[in-house]
């Protein structure tokens, strides 16, 4: 393991300042991704700025109906919070579907947003991987690409899925990410936070250098909505999604007034499927309407050599979730 400097910050501006003084710094919160990757020598920070003492552990309802979540709120505390369970069921379910109890007790909201990919070629430290070593190629294209590789949003440079369940729920709910930078704070729409790989797969998010996530603020819940998260995977716990869906619906009798759908396990970022949402609006609840929405969600799918099964599986994740929520 390489040597690195360690500093403990007492405020967000101080953390940003400490971060800006190093050549290859990283923020340390729960450490459930970062420390793994440091031990594997995939990430090689020369300085860790520990932000665990920052006052970012509150979940606060705002007067306009939104919910403000501190970046250091653990996945467990967020999933179990009464307001989340009452008004954002899809988020609570997504969090509890992720990782293990021990990891959820350590993992933070900000860290979950910043999760790195689970592609084995990225993590082995030696294979061709444009994300870890820009310009070296992508061993997953034509290689092992069954489980943690995408069919939506891929490029010729990278095909890895974004691994987070929480972020799929947030993509469906709508949210804003507040960040602290050297010049102050700003907000980023959650839909714009994660970047497609394109020609620059090493650029994974919209943060500028040294910026630190301080809060994620969820949109106000849709009135009279019901929501759920369905995760399909190789085993029932402690496993990443092969395909998942976060669905929110507003019903008026047997008519779907509004629907929001996001997918996990199939896209290179948390994948909102607005075409499917538009196709459902105003439709009577029916298997045909669900199937049509599911087809639309994958109309631009580009399967890899081993993961074409994710197209029908992802469609089933939408259909079953809609069926259960409208039953
Ligand atoms: Fe690297 Fe992305 Fe290719 Fe995996 S899919 S080897 S992370 S470039």
């Amino acid at each position: 393991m390489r040597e690195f400097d360690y500093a403990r910050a007492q405020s967000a501006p101080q953390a940003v300042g400490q971060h800006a003084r190093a050549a290859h710094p990283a923020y340390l919160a729960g450490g459930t991704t970062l420390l793994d990757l440091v031990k594997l020598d995939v990430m090689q920070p020369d300085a860790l700025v520990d932000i665990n003492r920052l006052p970012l552990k509150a979940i606060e309802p705002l007067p306009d109906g939104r919910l403000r979540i501190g970046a250091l709120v653990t996945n467990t505390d967020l999933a179990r919070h009464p307001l989340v369970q009452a008004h954002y069921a899809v988020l609570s379910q997504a969090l509890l579907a992720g990782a293990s109890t021990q990891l959820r007790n350590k993992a933070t909201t900000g860290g979950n947003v910043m999760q790195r990919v689970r592609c084995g070629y990225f993590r082995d430290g030696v294979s061709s991987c444009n994300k870890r070593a820009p310009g070296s190629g992508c061993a997953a294209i034509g290689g092992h690409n069954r489980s943690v590789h995408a069919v939506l949003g891929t490029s010729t440079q990278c095909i890895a899925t974004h691994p987070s369940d929480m972020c799929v729920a947030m993509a469906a709910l709508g949210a804003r990410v507040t960040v602290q930078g050297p010049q102050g704070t700003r907000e980023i729409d959650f839909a714009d936070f994660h970047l497609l790989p394109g020609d620059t797969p090493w650029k994974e998010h919209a943060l500028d250098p040294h910026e630190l996530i301080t809060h994620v603020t969820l949109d106000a819940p849709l009135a009279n909505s019901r929501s759920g998260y369905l995760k399909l995977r190789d085993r029932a716990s402690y496993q990443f999604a092969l395909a998942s869906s976060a669905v929110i619906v507003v019903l008026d009798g047997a008519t779907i007034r509004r629907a929001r759908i996001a997918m996990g396990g199939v896209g290179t970022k948390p994948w909102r499927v607005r075409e499917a949402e538009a196709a459902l609006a105003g439709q009577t609840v029916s298997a045909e309407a669900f199937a049509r929405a599911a087809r639309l969600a994958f109309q631009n799918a580009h399967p890899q050599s081993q993961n074409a099964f994710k197209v029908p599986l992802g469609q089933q994740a939408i259909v079953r979730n809609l069926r259960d929520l409208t039953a």
Side-chain angles (χ1 to χ4, degrees):
M1 191 148 149
R2 297 168 193 264
E3 288 191 1
F4 53 80
D5 292 333
Y6 171 86
R8 185 177 277 154
Q10 304 296 334
S11 71
Q14 185 193 34
V16 171
Q18 290 168 330
H19 199 268
R21 285 196 284 278
H24 302 289
Y27 292 114
L28 174 63
T32 56
T33 290
L34 174 66
L35 297 183
D36 272 1
L37 293 178
V38 169
K39 289 178 195 169
L40 292 168
D41 210 26
V42 171
M43 293 180 71
Q44 299 161 355
D46 62 357
L48 293 187
V49 179
D50 186 337
I51 60 171
N52 281 293
R53 294 198 178 172
L54 304 193
L56 300 174
K57 296 181 180 172
I59 299 173
E60 307 160 274
L62 300 182
D64 61 6
R66 297 185 300 154
L67 191 69
R68 189 171 185 250
I69 304 161
L72 293 176
V73 172
T74 67
N75 288 183
T76 296
D77 287 348
L78 186 56
R80 301 291 187 200
H81 194 278
L83 289 174
V84 174
Q85 292 187 326
H87 303 298
Y88 301 97
V90 64
L91 178 60
S92 180
Q93 292 171 19
L95 285 159
L96 294 175
S100 64
T101 302
Q102 290 90 342
L103 285 168
R104 291 193 294 270
N105 288 344
K106 285 296 290 180
T108 63
T109 303
N112 198 323
V113 172
M114 294 293 290
Q115 268 194 75
R116 309 293 306 274
V117 298
R118 307 302 297 195
C119 173
Y121 301 112
F122 170 75
R123 296 171 69 88
D124 72 14
V126 294
S127 297
S128 299
C129 174
N130 288 320
K131 194 178 278 295
R132 175 174 35 74
S136 64
C138 173
I141 297 176
H144 292 289
N145 52 43
R146 174 186 173 273
S147 55
V148 290
H149 296 92
V151 296
L152 293 164
T154 57
S155 75
T156 57
Q157 305 295 306
C158 180
I159 59 172
T161 52
H162 191 273
S164 169
D165 295 296
M166 181 194 81
C167 289
V168 179
M170 288 181 172
L173 290 164
R176 310 269 304 165
V177 181
T178 306
V179 302
Q180 172 82 48
Q183 268 74 51
T185 63
R186 69 179 179 116
E187 290 199 343
I188 304 169
D189 194 292
F190 194 81
D192 299 326
F193 188 88
H194 298 99
L195 305 181
L196 294 172
D199 292 331
T200 55
W202 54 92
K203 290 185 184 171
E204 298 175 347
H205 47 69
L207 289 179
D208 289 334
H210 312 303
E211 282 186 327
L212 169 69
I213 296 174
T214 59
H215 300 87
V216 176
T217 304
L218 303 178
D219 289 356
L222 294 179
N224 302 315
S225 63
R226 54 184 79 176
S227 69
Y229 188 73
L230 178 63
K231 182 174 181 178
L232 305 177
R233 45 189 161 170
D234 282 325
R235 61 176 183 234
S237 70
Y238 197 38
Q239 182 62 279
F240 292 92
L242 294 170
S244 68
S245 69
V247 175
I248 306 164
V249 289
V250 179
L251 292 176
D252 181 2
T255 302
I256 299 170
R257 285 291 166 222
R258 295 185 69 177
R260 289 186 184 172
I261 303 174
M263 303 290 302
V266 294
T268 51
K269 60 182 276 184
W271 201 261
R272 183 89 177 257
V273 280
R274 295 183 189 274
E275 311 91 328
E277 297 173 4
L280 286 166
Q283 296 294 309
T284 302
V285 169
S286 70
E288 293 73 25
F290 300 163
R292 188 165 56 247
R295 278 196 303 276
L296 282 170
F298 285 86
Q299 62 183 340
N300 296 317
H302 181 72
Q304 302 300 316
S305 55
Q306 298 177 342
N307 71 357
F309 73 94
K310 286 193 173 189
V311 174
L313 192 74
Q315 291 172 338
Q316 276 305 304
I318 292 175
V319 168
R320 280 177 48 188
N321 205 344
L322 280 166
R323 185 195 64 198
D324 293 349
L325 287 171
T326 59

